[in-house]
Amino acid sequence: LREHEEFTKVKNIATIELGRYEIETWYFSPFPPEYNDCVKLYFCEFCLNFMKRKEQLQRHMKKCDLKHPPGDEIYRNGTLSMFEVDGKKNKVYGQNLCYLAKLFLDHKTLYYDVDLFLFYILCECDDRGCHMVGYFSKEKHSEESYNLACILTLPPYQRKGYGKFLIAFSYELSKKEGKVGTPERPLSDLGMLSYRGYWTRVLLEILKKHKGNISIKELSDMTAIRAEDILNTLQNLDLIQYRKGQHAICADPKVLDRHLKAAGRGGLDVDVTKLIWTPYK
Ligand code: ACO
Ligand code: ZN
């Protein structure tokens, strides 16, 4: 039986408590063996330590003095803040976050080597503290020019534009680095939908404003979106023609407007003037 369970990775933890939410989990996550018999886990919403019993969490909350993720606040706009956590400086936090995130991420391998990653934690803040709504992780050095490894919006906060905000934020960091970036593959269905939506909106808005011809390379320089992702997105929108052995963007204003309407709402914007950040060295 053991072996079978190992093999099929039966979902163990069915629900978690996190801040004021009780959340049903989606997938298996490899918590340490002493949690194997648990169907519910209680998380401290600030340090992300997890416990088997409600009383343990209540005792913990009395002595835990964190009111926001550990690390530096690199962005604040109204009640929305972003914290950067270095996995090497905050190893336990990084590992706790990975255990938590895997409950909602299917085909992602869990990186125990959190040292190599930075974690960007998006929070809604009030007088009780900064409450995590989602996060993304990013390798400190990526050979494949990935600018994002894993992205998650916690289920109670999904479909409100936070995902697109996180994606936009990852590209703002790439712009500051002077690099193009792309998310680590594979993308989940929801990940693909969110990226497609983001790429589509960003590109359509530029094409709409821009007068005259523009190349994929120029679009890539402006947005930090990898050329291949741009080409794919525009091909999907049927905005690419192949002429004389070259790809050309044909941006008929009427077609652009139709696509823009279909692309839906833009969501929460990243105000770059409120981002205080220098690339990792
Ligand atoms: N059904 C249909 N479309 C959806 C859904 C859904 N359930 N969720 C998101 N979308 C699409 C929509 O087009 C939406 O735009 P719209 O609301 O304007 O129509 C767009 O994706 C983005 O919506 P957001 O509200 O900005 O995104 P959200 O905060 O819900 O987060 C995310 C998206 C992060 C992918 C979230 O669904 C999630 O955490 N999923 C579980 C983890 C996951 O799959 N992560 C990606 C793995 S790939 C990787 O990590 C590299
Ligand atoms: Zn705590």
Side-chain angles (χ1 to χ4, degrees):
L1 183 77
R2 254 262 136 69
E3 238 173 53
H4 174 75
E5 280 183 355
E6 280 285 319
F7 191 67
T8 57
K9 304 243 161 111
V10 172
K11 194 175 82 171
N12 42 353
I13 315 293
T15 52
I16 58 163
E17 205 175 284
L18 180 75
R20 53 195 194 88
Y21 293 104
E22 185 169 292
I23 307 171
E24 271 178 53
T25 65
W26 297 3
Y27 303 110
F28 169 86
S29 179
F31 283 93
E34 58 267 37
Y35 296 89
N36 275 354
D37 56 343
C38 295
V39 285
K40 182 164 178 184
L41 282 183
Y42 299 85
F43 279 83
C44 168
E45 63 167 326
F46 301 117
C47 69
L48 300 184
N49 279 331
F50 44 87
M51 285 144 261
K52 289 183 178 189
R53 295 198 332 275
K54 180 123 188 154
E55 304 78 63
Q56 284 175 294
L57 177 66
Q58 284 165 339
R59 248 178 286 135
H60 172 91
M61 293 321 286
K62 287 203 184 103
K63 51 176 209 247
C64 183
D65 40 36
L66 272 183
K67 283 285 173 266
H68 55 76
D72 305 321
E73 187 179 15
I74 59 168
Y75 180 91
R76 185 190 294 184
N77 190 7
T79 57
L80 211 56
S81 283
M82 186 75 96
F83 291 83
E84 182 186 62
V85 180
D86 184 330
K88 188 163 185 169
K89 292 184 194 154
N90 291 285
K91 233 184 161 82
V92 174
Y93 182 89
Q95 282 165 347
N96 290 347
L97 180 59
C98 289
Y99 283 130
L100 170 65
K102 181 64 194 69
L103 292 168
F104 307 98
L105 283 155
D106 192 8
H107 41 241
K108 283 281 177 186
T109 35
L110 198 66
Y111 295 105
Y112 291 98
D113 219 350
V114 293
D115 287 34
L116 308 178
F117 290 85
L118 294 164
F119 299 92
Y120 294 91
I121 322 295
L122 182 63
C123 297
E124 279 286 2
C125 305
D126 59 26
D127 51 1
R128 291 176 303 123
C130 294
H131 314 282
M132 174 165 82
V133 307
Y135 88 102
F136 69 87
S137 56
K138 176 181 166 106
E139 270 176 284
K140 291 174 179 172
H141 304 285
S142 171
E143 303 261 326
E144 300 90 345
S145 69
Y146 294 139
N147 65 352
L148 180 148
C150 288
I151 179 171
L152 169 74
T153 303
L154 289 167
Y157 296 98
Q158 287 177 5
R159 293 300 312 256
K160 297 178 198 294
Y162 291 115
K164 270 184 266 179
F165 180 93
L166 289 165
I167 293 171
F169 203 94
S170 72
Y171 282 105
E172 291 306 331
L173 298 187
S174 294
K175 286 181 199 168
K176 292 231 178 218
E177 292 173 328
K179 290 182 187 163
V180 297
T182 193
E184 193 184 297
R185 302 304 195 277
L187 295 177
S188 65
D189 293 352
L190 289 171
M192 193 63 214
L193 276 169
S194 302
Y195 267 96
R196 270 246 171 281
Y198 174 78
W199 291 330
T200 299
R201 176 158 283 283
V202 167
L203 297 173
L204 287 176
E205 270 164 7
I206 295 176
L207 291 178
K208 201 173 147 79
K209 280 191 216 124
H210 193 85
K211 308 269 179 285
N213 282 338
I214 190 162
S215 66
I216 289 173
K217 171 80 170 65
E218 286 169 299
L219 285 173
S220 179
D221 292 341
M222 291 164 80
T223 59
I225 300 171
R226 188 178 67 164
E228 198 187 320
D229 298 330
I230 295 179
L231 182 61
N232 259 314
T233 306
L234 295 181
Q235 265 167 345
N236 258 303
L237 296 167
D238 218 12
L239 293 174
I240 297 288
Q241 280 182 353
Y242 198 67
R243 279 193 232 124
K244 298 179 194 142
Q246 280 213 317
H247 293 293
I249 302 169
C250 45
D252 175 349
K254 274 197 203 119
V255 180
L256 291 182
D257 278 337
R258 182 160 48 79
H259 283 314
L260 260 172
K261 270 208 191 98
R265 60 205 163 80
L268 304 158
D269 283 324
V270 179
D271 180 349
V272 280
T273 65
K274 298 190 167 149
L275 170 62
I276 298 165
W277 185 78
T278 48
Y280 184 84
K281 279 193 204 74

